[in-house]
């Protein structure tokens, strides 16, 4: 005889404890994803700010005539 799934799993297939655990896991992952996105946005802002400071600082440095210019980023940025 075939076992009835409801009798084998008294809570039923739809809302077993594994499903609650699965929902909780997704909630935690959503929270982590939101924190990662906010952290990345903050770091992007900080990097842009630092690059602006570097750009302003280097543009104010007097360069002696004949001094070769060096591109530290090799034209990548």
């Amino acid at each position: 005889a075939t076992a009835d799934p409801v009798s084998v799993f008294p809570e039923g297939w739809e809302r077993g404890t594994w499903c609650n655990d699965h929902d909780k896991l997704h909630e935690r992952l959503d929270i982590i994803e939101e924190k990662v996105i906010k952290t990345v946005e903050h770091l992007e802002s900080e990097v842009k700010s630092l690059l602006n400071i570097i750009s302003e600082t280097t543009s104010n440095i007097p360069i002696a005539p004949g001094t070769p210019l060096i591109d530290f980023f090799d034209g990548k940025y």
Side-chain angles (χ1 to χ4, degrees), residues 13-71:
W13 284 99
E14 294 83 25
R15 297 305 306 171
T17 56
W18 65 270
C19 192
N20 290 334
D21 292 342
H22 181 80
D23 290 342
K24 288 177 186 176
L25 177 64
H26 275 279
E27 288 174 11
R28 289 187 208 144
L29 288 173
D30 289 342
I31 292 169
I32 291 170
E33 179 183 20
E34 184 178 333
K35 287 182 179 184
V36 167
I37 289 170
K38 287 181 180 181
T39 301
V40 168
E41 289 172 350
H42 174 75
L43 290 173
E44 284 178 338
S45 174
E46 290 292 318
V47 168
K48 286 179 185 178
S49 176
L50 289 170
L51 288 174
N52 285 337
I53 291 170
I54 291 170
S55 177
E56 290 170 5
T57 303
T58 57
S59 66
N60 294 331
I61 297 174
I63 300 174
T67 304
L69 298 178
I70 300 172
D71 184 1

